[in-house]
Amino acid sequence: MKEFMLQVTTPEGIFWEKKAEMAEIPVSGGKMGIYGGHEPAAALLVPGELMIYEQGRKKAVSIGPGFAEIVPDKIRILTGSARWTEKHPEEQGNEDEDPGVQKEDGDGFSV
């Protein structure tokens, strides 16, 4: 399977940038699967789960709305927020909470 570079960027900077075998991005009609060598395209992203397939493993990233730029050897995802939906040992430095996500303090108020 042909690999491509996948870059996920938030307002805070590059969240993740590595080679991948496939990516599934959340779009308004569902999910769009992308492999290396894909025709150039652009997509409007909706909040949802970005699935990354690399080295035989599947990783899930919760992303906010944004855009995807797709060229044959690279996918660039620009999103308002990104965070791992489960822990991955190689991403230990990215396990901080997403500063773009508001939390409730128990009384229903955002903090």
Side-chain angles (χ1 to χ4, degrees):
M1 194 175 305
K2 188 175 180 180
E3 290 185 325
F4 58 90
M5 185 60 71
L6 175 62
Q7 181 185 73
V8 179
T9 304
T10 69
E12 288 79 32
I14 295 175
F15 174 79
W16 196 74
E17 184 173 34
K18 288 186 182 177
K19 290 196 178 242
E21 298 158 355
M22 180 189 169
E24 290 179 353
I25 59 175
V27 294
S28 63
K31 289 209 173 228
M32 178 179 176
I34 305 163
Y35 290 93
H38 195 284
E39 291 292 316
L44 182 60
L45 303 175
V46 297
E49 198 168 61
L50 163 67
M51 299 301 297
I52 301 170
Y53 297 82
E54 58 110 16
Q55 298 178 354
R57 295 179 299 193
K58 179 169 72 169
K59 299 178 180 186
V61 179
S62 177
I63 63 171
F67 299 92
E69 175 190 22
I70 303 159
V71 294
D73 61 348
K74 185 171 188 172
I75 298 174
R76 180 176 293 124
I77 293 177
L78 305 171
T79 180
S81 63
R83 70 170 187 248
W84 295 107
T85 57
E86 46 189 72
K87 279 192 176 179
H88 298 282
E90 64 274 14
E91 277 82 32
Q92 289 297 321
N94 289 335
E95 59 187 80
D96 294 337
E97 292 180 353
D98 181 358
V101 176
Q102 291 187 348
K103 297 213 172 211
E104 292 184 4
D105 65 2
D107 294 331
F109 294 101
S110 296
V111 290

